Amino acid sequence: MSETGDLYVVKPDGTSERRILASGDATVDAQFSPDGHRLVFATDQGEGARNIAVMNADGSSHHQVTPTQTSDAARADTWEFPSWLPDGSGLRFYRNARQDALQGL
């Protein structure tokens, strides 16, 4: 069974809920950039295969930043736990390569 989920933003008081991404994939580990203008997140395509994507805070300009994966989710790399560099100039994330046992940031 594959999970699915959308990404929402909401004010700290719980008001003004707004969906900014309806991907069809589970969207996890979302984090705003230090300037608040962009989001980075992991998308889960099932079987634990995840990719990292970035988009503007309003939901525009959504694009994947990790390499396109094999269609076989059981053999795909897992890219997860994304975060911004403190100055917002780049990203760091974890890679678990299922085929060659490479892991790391």
Side-chain angles (χ1 to χ4, degrees):
M1 181 172 94
S2 177
E3 296 180 10
T4 61
D6 299 335
L7 187 60
Y8 289 81
V9 292
V10 63
K11 290 184 178 181
D13 66 3
T15 63
S16 301
E17 179 181 290
R18 183 172 49 97
R19 182 173 59 188
I20 59 171
L21 180 67
S23 69
D25 299 322
T27 304
V28 297
D29 302 329
Q31 185 183 91
F32 280 100
S33 62
D35 66 9
H37 294 138
R38 295 173 292 166
L39 283 161
V40 63
F41 52 94
T43 59
D44 188 338
Q45 287 84 42
E47 303 297 323
R50 289 188 175 166
N51 289 303
I52 305 298
V54 173
M55 70 180 181
N56 292 333
D58 65 3
S60 65
S61 298
H62 173 251
H63 63 280
Q64 183 174 311
V65 297
T66 49
T68 301
Q69 306 236 33
T70 174
S71 59
D72 180 0
R75 297 174 48 107
D77 292 348
T78 299
W79 305 83
E80 55 192 343
F81 310 121
S83 62
W84 293 94
L85 295 179
D87 65 1
S89 66
L91 302 168
R92 59 183 158 234
F93 43 84
Y94 179 82
R95 176 186 178 217
N96 182 358
R98 295 180 188 208
Q99 298 307 301
D100 54 20
L102 294 176
Q103 296 182 356
L105 290 175

